[in-house]
Amino acid sequence: MTVTNRTGAETDRRPGSGADELVAILLPLLDRTTVRGVRTLVSATVPVAWRDPVALFAAARAIDDEVAIWLQPDAGFGLVAIGSAWTVEATGCDRFRQVATAWSDLVEGAVVQGSDDVPGAGPLLFGGFGFGAEAARSPTWAGFESARLGLPSLLMTVTQASTWLTASIMITPGAKPGAREAVARELDRRWARLAAEATEPVPLVPASAELRIARQVPEAPEWRATVARFAGAVGRGRLDKAVLARRVDLHADGSIDVPAVIRRLEATGPESTIFAVGRGTRTFLGATPERLARSKGREFRTVAMAGSIRRGSDAEEDERLGADLLASEKDREEQAVVVEMLRETLSPVTDRLEIPHRPSVVRLRHIQHLATELRGRLREPVGIVGLVERLHPTPAVGGAPRELALELIAHEERLERGWYAGPVGWLDRRGDGEFVVAIRSGVVDGRAASLFAGCGIVADSDPQREWEESLMKLRTLATALGRVAS
């Protein structure tokens, strides 16, 4: 399934359609900034003809270093963020509040015209937070700060019913009218060029690249030994659970075609959120099944996902394996730790919190998980970033108790997670939005790719079984990249 807008696709495929209207709206908005005397965000949103989001992403990569995509195929929802009109970076334990405050200050005096009733349309921030409070120092993560979110200059939003284009411009005090108009017309020209180059969808083709494993961090014997130490720590009652990650570096026989990889992830994981964030030659991308939080006003949703088993070869085996997963004491314990943490974290700040009595089984392409969806209503409108700050990292990617698990991970894991397992997502000018947990992910740079996977370790975790589980999780992205030599 691809993210499409049937109405737009059938009615209008003219290159640049909607851009003329965009400029006509932007110019009078720009005039309104002259009386403010302060830096001002100006943004306008118009309906446009549908473009394949992956094709638009591919076209934008050729002319801009900062391009990002967000696809939820089953929901028919997609975002393509192009360029950056404004960026916020932050580091340290209060990076979430730094981002929320900077964004709130910026949009307070914004001059905005468009459709406020369409989710994801209008000026928004798109980006992510690192797993840890400090930025990773490895070259793999260059450009991926501990918090970096950008306001796209151009944003295409695709819903099941419509397609929208948002243009955003930052106007500084003293900018001459001619300069302001030139910026608006440049955005017009850029959109017309991109729309013209994205008239044909990126085809779905099998992955043909040959990949070899260049490095694993750590190697299998060391990783299994660490699993045993984690399980021992849990068994002694030191903690309830800790998540151990590993990294696999791959080298391809040619440059990896990122848009083609995204198309394959979309086709094989329509129930997942497919994301990609570009920084220069590097792209952090993945297909995660795990929503960290989604908010609209005071209403929110989150998911507790943990416990895993492989897919069966047919429906009957799938059912049997799913039943085994539900009956697995080890997996139920691992997943219950996540549910309990969410309950303890959210109960003090909610008027209502709905938690199903038992988990369900979620089936993905290569793996099945236990999952519990939680819904609730916040007492105060803290916004999506406020929720993310409370929830990250959940025990699904960190452990419990949180601080003790993170201390153990920092001492034993011996790799930089960067944005792996961190929150990636978007928020609109009201502070609402959605963030996912960036698992089943990796960094692609030319012929090189670094993939990451982690496993939740409890007292009776078996090191060999955890190793095999990590291979299942790596397979999601690896098979979209190419064929890995054994």
Side-chain angles (χ1 to χ4, degrees), residues 49 107 118 145 151 160 195 204 213 236 250 272 283 308 319 350-351 382 384 406 409 437 448 485:
V107 299
V118 178
E145 308 299 333
L151 167 67
Q160 289 183 329
L204 175 62
I213 296 176
R236 292 190 295 274
L250 301 172
S272 299
T283 303
S308 312
E319 288 293 331
T350 52
D351 290 330
V382 299
I384 186 65
L406 294 180
I409 290 168
V437 183

Side-chain angles (χ1 to χ4, degrees), residues 118-138:
V118 178
L124 56 75
L125 280 188
F126 191 111
F129 298 85
F131 180 83
E134 304 300 328
R137 291 170 294 180
S138 161

Side-chain angles (χ1 to χ4, degrees), residues 6 39 83 115 124 133 143 159 165 213 217 221 225 230 250 274 287 303 311 408 417 431 464:
R6 295 181 183 82
R39 187 183 60 165
S115 180
L124 56 75
T159 72
L165 172 66
I213 296 176
V217 182
F230 273 38
L250 301 172
I274 293 90
V303 175
R311 291 296 306 269
L408 184 65
R417 291 193 180 188
Q464 181 57 32

Side-chain angles (χ1 to χ4, degrees), residues 65-383:
D65 284 345
E66 296 214 13
V67 184
I69 189 169
W70 169 283
L71 302 175
Q72 293 176 321
D74 274 358
F77 182 73
L79 301 171
V80 181
I82 303 164
S84 181
W86 181 81
T87 300
V88 56
E89 294 182 2
T91 189
C93 294
D94 65 342
R95 64 195 192 281
F96 298 101
R97 294 181 189 181
Q98 292 180 51
V99 168
T101 300
W103 179 238
S104 176
D105 290 345
L106 183 71
V107 299
E108 184 177 4
V111 179
V112 177
Q113 183 166 332
S115 180
D116 274 346
D117 57 345
V118 178
L124 56 75
L125 280 188
F126 191 111
F129 298 85
F131 180 83
E134 304 300 328
R137 291 170 294 180
S138 161
T140 299
W141 294 109
F144 294 90
E145 308 299 333
S146 57
R148 193 175 197 279
L149 295 94
L151 167 67
S153 299
L154 293 170
L155 171 73
M156 186 179 79
T157 305
V158 177
T159 72
Q160 289 183 329
S162 56
T163 303
W164 301 83
L165 172 66
T166 299
S168 296
I169 303 171
M170 291 300 303
I171 299 299
T172 55
K176 296 180 179 179
R180 299 198 304 265
E181 182 175 335
V183 173
R185 296 203 178 279
E186 171 54 29
L187 285 182
D188 174 20
R189 285 191 291 272
R190 187 188 297 186
W191 171 252
R193 175 182 170 186
L194 293 172
E197 293 179 1
T199 52
E200 297 298 327
V202 171
L204 175 62
V205 295
S208 58
E210 298 290 339
L211 303 164
R212 64 175 176 80
I213 296 176
R215 187 175 67 138
Q216 299 190 74
V217 182
E219 295 288 350
E222 184 182 351
W223 197 81
R224 293 191 186 101
T226 308
V227 170
R229 288 197 294 275
F230 273 38
V234 177
R236 292 190 295 274
R238 187 180 171 201
L239 68 170
D240 299 324
K241 172 187 175 181
V243 175
L244 181 63
R246 70 187 188 94
R247 164 179 171 167
V248 178
D249 292 342
L250 301 172
H251 193 273
D253 56 356
S255 183
I256 297 171
D257 185 343
V258 171
V261 172
I262 293 171
R263 178 62 82 214
R264 286 191 283 272
L265 290 173
E266 182 188 37
T268 57
E271 67 291 322
S272 299
T273 297
I274 293 90
F275 61 87
V277 181
R279 296 280 186 269
T281 62
R282 298 179 183 82
T283 303
F284 177 58
L285 76 168
T288 176
E290 189 166 346
R291 171 188 293 156
L292 182 58
R294 180 177 184 176
S295 73
K296 185 175 183 180
R298 297 185 183 183
E299 300 292 325
F300 72 90
R301 296 182 181 185
T302 184
V303 175
M305 184 172 285
S308 312
I309 201 166
R310 67 177 176 84
R311 291 296 306 269
S313 57
D314 53 35
E316 184 178 351
E317 188 181 20
D318 255 348
E319 288 293 331
R320 180 178 61 75
L321 290 170
D324 289 347
L325 183 61
L326 279 169
S328 166
E329 189 173 332
K330 178 263 180 188
D331 290 290
R332 290 291 292 269
E333 176 188 351
E334 184 186 340
Q335 204 259 349
V337 169
V338 183
V339 174
E340 191 54 33
M341 174 270 183
L342 294 176
R343 184 199 309 275
E344 291 177 356
T345 301
L346 294 170
S347 291
V349 296
T350 52
D351 290 330
R352 184 187 75 251
L353 184 61
E354 302 170 9
I355 306 176
H357 294 299
R358 56 176 293 168
S360 58
V361 174
V362 174
R363 293 193 172 93
L364 307 174
R365 177 81 169 184
H366 302 289
I367 195 169
Q368 305 183 60
H369 292 295
L370 293 177
T372 300
E373 182 175 71
L374 292 80
R375 302 183 182 199
R377 178 178 170 81
L378 295 163
R379 290 177 184 165
E380 302 292 336
V382 299

Side-chain angles (χ1 to χ4, degrees), residues 337-472:
V337 169
V338 183
V339 174
E340 191 54 33
M341 174 270 183
L342 294 176
R343 184 199 309 275
E344 291 177 356
T345 301
L346 294 170
S347 291
V349 296
T350 52
D351 290 330
R352 184 187 75 251
L353 184 61
E354 302 170 9
I355 306 176
H357 294 299
R358 56 176 293 168
S360 58
V361 174
V362 174
R363 293 193 172 93
L364 307 174
R365 177 81 169 184
H366 302 289
I367 195 169
Q368 305 183 60
H369 292 295
L370 293 177
T372 300
E373 182 175 71
L374 292 80
R375 302 183 182 199
R377 178 178 170 81
L378 295 163
R379 290 177 184 165
E380 302 292 336
V382 299
I384 186 65
V385 175
L387 267 175
V388 168
E389 180 181 20
R390 276 190 164 271
L391 297 175
H392 174 75
T394 73
V397 291
R402 177 185 285 174
E403 296 307 320
L404 194 56
L406 294 180
E407 182 181 320
L408 184 65
I409 290 168
H411 185 262
E412 294 274 2
E413 200 168 69
R414 302 183 190 282
L415 63 81
E416 287 189 308
R417 291 193 180 188
W419 280 25
Y420 164 69
V424 169
W426 58 273
L427 69 155
D428 64 21
R429 67 188 176 108
R430 291 174 292 270
D432 294 328
E434 181 170 5
F435 278 77
V436 295
V437 183
I439 55 175
R440 315 295 145 79
S441 60
V443 178
V444 171
D445 186 1
R447 295 186 175 199
S450 298
L451 278 54
F452 298 82
C455 296
I457 310 302
V458 293
D460 56 352
S461 289
D462 175 70
Q464 181 57 32
R465 184 185 169 194
E466 300 299 339
W467 177 261
E468 292 167 0
E469 182 178 317
S470 73
L471 293 176
M472 282 192 290

